[in-house]
């Protein structure tokens, strides 16, 4: 039993190592890398790479799923309510996106966010589920007016798009400035949204 658990842990660590290397390759080169390139970048044997992934598209999908799962877990772990929680989510989101944003921009889905939620995409639906209650809290507290929840969450996703965060970080904006500016812009947009 102990050997099996160690083997699972080793397998998970190898997969993480591969996905970390994939993130670096995506950030540096975009999608133009092969599984042998991934093997070299991660220091893992090519046969091991093929045990984990069928092809490069499989790598892209696994990287993006891990990224969204991590984002959702981080956002769900934030305590508080209303404006305090909203601000903390913005800060954490920016901190994370600064690290993986450039890689994520290379493999974005061509489907819309709300369409992926409607289709039951697990990661997108989990992100929606993490954000929607915060919007509702802000409306209940009177921070923003009542509004269409789908639109409000879509606006949040749009304002905190990793491409925006990467652009602002590229202007040497510190993470705190990025998060407070984006959060203020989003609150202003929500306050001006038609009911």
């Amino acid at each position: 039993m102990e050997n099996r658990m160690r083997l699972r842990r080793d397998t998970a660590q190898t997969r993480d190592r591969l996905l970390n290397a994939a993130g670096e390759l995506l950030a540096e080169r975009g999608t133009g890398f092969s599984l042998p390139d991934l093997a070299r970048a991660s220091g893992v044997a090519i046969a091991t790479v093929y045990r984990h992934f069928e092809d490069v598209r499989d790598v892209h999908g696994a990287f993006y799923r891990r990224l969204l799962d991590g984002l959702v877990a981080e956002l769900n772990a934030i305590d508080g309510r209303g404006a305090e929680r909203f601000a903390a989510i913005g800060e954490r989101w920016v901190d994370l996106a600064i690290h993986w944003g450039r890689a994520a921009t290379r493999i974005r889905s061509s489907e819309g966010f709300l369409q992926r939620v409607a289709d039951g995409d697990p990661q997108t639906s989990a992100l929606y589920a993490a954000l929607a209650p915060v919007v509702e809290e802000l409306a209940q507290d009177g921070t923003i007016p009542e509004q269409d929840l789908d639109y409000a969450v879509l606006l949040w996703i749009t304002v905190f798009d990793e491409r925006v965060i990467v652009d602002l970080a590229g202007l040497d904006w510190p993470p705190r400035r990025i998060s407070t500016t984006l959060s203020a812009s989003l609150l202003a947009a929500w306050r001006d949204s038609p009911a």
Side-chain angles (χ1 to χ4, degrees):
M1 182 70 158
E2 187 178 318
N3 281 343
R4 196 175 333 171
M5 288 183 67
R6 188 174 334 121
L7 184 59
R8 280 190 219 141
R9 187 173 42 246
D10 290 346
T11 300
Q13 288 172 342
T14 300
R15 188 172 181 86
D16 278 343
R17 187 172 169 186
L18 289 166
L19 291 176
N20 291 341
E24 291 170 13
L25 288 169
L26 284 164
E28 292 168 9
R29 298 191 207 176
T31 57
F33 66 90
S34 65
L35 291 183
D37 292 333
L38 179 59
R40 280 188 294 281
S42 63
V44 172
I46 187 68
T48 302
V49 174
Y50 278 100
R51 279 196 293 276
H52 285 271
F53 304 108
E54 278 185 37
D55 55 30
V56 174
R57 290 189 65 185
D58 191 23
V59 174
H60 298 164
F63 176 80
Y64 202 68
R65 285 189 299 276
R66 183 181 76 161
L67 179 157
L68 282 180
D69 288 344
L71 175 62
V72 168
E74 291 280 342
L75 300 184
N76 281 333
I78 294 172
D79 290 329
R81 180 173 163 68
E84 175 189 333
R85 186 171 169 205
F86 170 72
I89 284 174
E91 288 177 21
R92 190 67 190 128
W93 194 332
V94 168
D95 287 342
L96 293 168
I98 284 173
H99 295 290
W100 47 249
R102 188 166 307 286
T105 62
R106 311 292 185 129
I107 53 172
R108 293 175 55 96
S109 173
S110 60
E111 288 186 315
F113 178 80
L114 293 176
Q115 183 61 52
R116 285 179 282 151
V117 171
D119 290 345
D121 175 72
Q123 284 74 28
T124 308
S125 298
L127 183 55
Y128 182 99
L131 300 177
V134 181
V135 174
E136 291 173 327
E137 289 169 9
L138 292 170
Q140 290 165 1
D141 294 347
T143 304
I144 61 172
E146 292 284 333
Q147 53 199 276
D148 181 276
L149 192 57
D150 285 346
Y151 175 76
V153 172
L154 180 62
L155 193 55
W156 197 346
I157 296 296
T158 303
V159 171
F160 276 79
D161 185 297
E162 58 267 10
R163 293 171 294 191
V164 172
I165 294 168
V166 166
D167 274 347
L168 294 175
L171 296 174
D172 292 327
W173 282 28
R176 176 83 174 176
R177 180 179 179 194
I178 296 171
S179 66
T180 56
T181 302
L182 293 181
S183 294
S185 298
L186 180 56
L187 284 173
W190 281 336
R191 286 180 181 128
D192 288 343
S193 292

